[in-house]
Amino acid sequence: KSTGKYIVVGAGGVATVVLTPALLAALGFTATGIASGSIAAKMMSLFALFYGGGIPAGGLVATLQSIGMTGLGWFGTGTVAGIGSIVGSMISSICNVTVKIEGSP
């Protein structure tokens, strides 16, 4: 019975590691920089306005661009896999709930 839960937890971890770089590229955080006209470009523009013309090092846009250019790295991969596994575990727990309505057979 618990084997299914382990599969879902593992799949959640693997899926997030595989999908995170693809999602970042789709948003415009590419290996060659931020893609013109993308969501990433709009984010960069808004953050630059908010911060008075520049993008702070270590901020959200800079971090996402760094991941888009270089990949997740060992720490990022572990973090993202852990988050995906937690979400997989939560989904498995939610899907495993049996609800009995009073008066039903």
Side-chain angles (χ1 to χ4, degrees):
K1 183 176 177 174
S2 64
T3 304
K5 182 173 183 112
Y6 294 132
I7 291 171
V8 173
V9 169
V14 170
T16 53
V17 169
V18 170
L19 294 177
T20 297
L23 176 63
L24 288 175
L27 291 174
F29 296 101
T30 69
T32 57
I34 291 181
S36 177
S38 66
I39 292 173
K42 289 176 180 53
M43 284 178 65
M44 186 174 184
S45 176
L46 286 171
F47 276 69
L49 286 172
F50 182 75
Y51 287 106
I55 299 296
L60 178 64
V61 173
T63 300
L64 293 175
Q65 182 53 42
S66 176
I67 294 169
M69 292 184 88
T70 61
L72 290 168
W74 67 268
F75 182 77
T77 299
T79 302
V80 170
I83 292 168
S85 295
I86 290 168
V87 171
S89 177
M90 290 168 46
I91 290 170
S92 176
S93 295
I94 290 168
C95 292
N96 247 350
V97 173
T98 303
V99 177
K100 183 168 167 87
I101 300 171
E102 268 188 58
S104 67

